[in-house]
Amino acid sequence: MVQIQNLALALAAGTAVSGAAIERQSACSSYTIIDTRGTGELQGPSAGFRTMNSQIQQQMSGGKVYNTMYPADFSQISTEGTNDIVDHVQSTLQSNPDECFILEGYSQGAAATTNALPKLTGASFDAVKGVFLIGNPEHRSGKACNVDTNGGDTTKNVNGLSATLGGIPDNWVSKTLDVCNYGDGVCDTTHGFGINAQHLAYPTNSNVQQMGAKFALKQLQGGN
């Protein structure tokens, strides 16, 4: 009986150790934030995520930012951006299969990111730990990932200007926060019209920046 009890204790201890090891492995030791800027922003980091990304990198080592390459012009044709996001994830995984990713997009950049999601499958889907969008023209009513700038549901059931063209795929909803400011006419056509003050307010909204940083850190640390 004593031997059986000792064996049970040993097995239990082994299970605990294995569980802890799995939990540690689920956190990302190396990660890339793919930053996709909005219409009219110059090539480089988007103003919509500078504070957020600074907070993430200060609190978690091993990170780098990749700025999506595409025109981001007023034609609103973001295909190059979508392709660049997909290509960067896939090419990075070829050289570093353990790399993790956070995707983020502002305005047209959010649309480019949304359109990349169906193309990120298999290992690419697994490697992307979180998607954080602001002012998304493809914001689609009723999605569980829809939140306002306070993390509430005042913009859960509104549509963006291009909602009929896309929207967050169902299998990505649990990995995504699609943030729409109440009255932002790009993502909330019920209460606003076009690019307005609400659409331009995300970069200086401390709630949004803190929400994004907290969400990304949780996902990178195995919260997904």
Side-chain angles (χ1 to χ4, degrees), residues 52-100:
M52 166 184 162
N53 290 344
S54 176
Q55 292 176 3
I56 294 169
Q57 292 184 287
Q58 286 174 9
Q59 295 181 56
M60 187 171 181
S61 61
K64 61 199 77 69
V65 176
Y66 175 78
N67 301 309
T68 301
M69 300 286 292
Y70 85 118
D73 60 25
F74 288 90
S75 72
Q76 299 300 308
I77 299 174
S78 56
T79 307
E80 286 185 39
T82 293
N83 292 339
D84 192 51
I85 293 167
V86 175
D87 289 347
H88 191 73
V89 171
Q90 294 177 344
S91 62
T92 301
L93 290 176
Q94 289 178 1
S95 57
N96 183 7
D98 295 325
E99 186 76 357
C100 298

Side-chain angles (χ1 to χ4, degrees), residues 124-213:
S124 296
F125 174 83
D126 294 337
V128 176
K129 303 304 180 182
V131 182
F132 189 76
L133 308 174
I134 52 179
N136 183 9
E138 295 189 13
H139 184 92
R140 181 175 288 180
S141 174
K143 297 282 185 177
C145 56
N146 294 351
V147 296
D148 59 27
T149 53
N150 295 311
D153 61 3
T154 64
T155 54
K156 180 178 181 180
N157 297 311
V158 299
N159 284 310
L161 290 170
S162 305
T164 59
L165 300 180
I168 305 302
D170 290 343
N171 63 322
W172 283 92
V173 168
S174 64
K175 293 186 176 190
T176 302
L177 279 184
D178 193 353
V179 183
C180 179
N181 195 6
Y182 184 91
D184 172 356
V186 172
C187 58
D188 174 11
T189 56
T190 300
H191 306 109
F193 181 77
I195 298 175
N196 55 17
Q198 290 90 332
H199 186 69
L200 300 174
Y202 299 100
T204 56
N205 188 313
S206 60
N207 286 344
V208 172
Q209 300 300 315
Q210 291 171 12
M211 184 194 313

